[in-house]
Amino acid sequence: MTFADEVKNAVTPRAALLVIGVLGLQLLFIASYVGALHKPKPTDVPFGVVAPQQMSAQLITELKNLPGGPLDPRAVADAATAREQILNREIDGALIVNPRSTTDTVLVASGGGAALADTLTKIITKVDLTQQRTVRSVDVAPASDQDFDGLSSFYLVVGWCVGGYLCASILAISAGSKPANRQRAVIRTGVMALYSIVGGIGGAIIIGPILGALPGSFWGLSGLGALTVFAVGMLTLALQALTGIVGIGLAVLIVVIAGNPSAGGAFPLPMLPDFWRTIGPALPPGAGTWVARSIAYFKGNAVTGPLLVLSAWAAAGTLVTLLMAMRRTPDDAADDTAPVGSTAA
């Protein structure tokens, strides 16, 4: 057999399509990460203003009309309320005007992302300089000394997501690339659930007791980890059940290519372009990162929505996986025993 014949036999139409698909994922990966992160700038950041009534309206208008629209300012009754709203994650910072002094205070929360906290301080410092005033920064939810730039929450969630789709991928191709029969679907779901629990606890142990990178509830982070891993794993199994081995690539597209750069990890959501800040909260990495930071730095506040997002992915993935398995015929079920690469697969 000639070399040309070997190439012809090796590069089947199916293999060629898969290679083209991988190339597409590669280019989308570059476009998504560079597109989201190459030029971060704040836009419409929820921001409180505490000032005497005669100054408040004028100051809010001035902040709202800053070039590029970095802030979405709103009046807040007092400094205590501003702190409470920051800890409840309703606003990302606040300016406290002191009418009896030329020094004002900007409240920030580096636990929600150091890049945004630093940016808010710089914006308000520049505004105050035009009024011959100075500003001091107070961090009401500071990131841990062991959590550089508040990134540990993001990388923790990324690790959970990677574990979820890798485990599901192994389960999906362990007996061929076709969807599982009913029994195997139930087994895979059970294994995925057990793996998720162990993975969630393991991640919480590493990030907390071992490295000391994140404060907050150990069991809260463990539960979040289990839910995140299971959501991503069941999403992957569902896509594989619908589309075969292509589903693994689709899971990478959703979780890694779309989800990671839009998660608010490297740069918080208000600093991302509109497309990424819109999709981020609806995807597992973004929802998980928000909850991890809330557990670590914001007393567990504002987590209901993101937890519902993760639960929805987990429930939908489980439902699709089991329904697709129930639709299989006895002949399809027999194919599950065929080895990978065989005609049946």
Side-chain angles (χ1 to χ4, degrees), residues 282-339:
L283 299 177
T289 299
W290 178 277
V291 176
R293 282 178 170 163
S294 288
I295 292 173
Y297 300 118
F298 296 92
K299 302 180 180 180
N301 292 325
V303 299
T304 302
L307 288 177
L308 288 175
V309 168
L310 291 170
S311 299
W313 283 107
T318 302
L319 183 63
V320 170
T321 299
L322 297 178
L323 286 178
M324 290 299 296
M326 291 174 64
R327 292 180 56 187
R328 304 200 68 203
T329 65
D331 289 340
D332 291 332
D335 287 341
D336 282 329
T337 60

Side-chain angles (χ1 to χ4, degrees), residues 42 45 92 108-109 112-121 267-271:
V45 180
D92 290 306
V108 295
L116 181 58
D118 291 342
T119 298
L120 291 177
T121 300
F267 299 104
L269 289 175
M271 300 187 72

Side-chain angles (χ1 to χ4, degrees), residues 47 52 81 90 119 121 171 196 214 219 237 309 324:
F47 190 80
T81 302
E90 298 172 13
T119 298
T121 300
L171 293 173
S196 299
L214 282 184
W219 290 112
L237 287 176
V309 168
M324 290 299 296

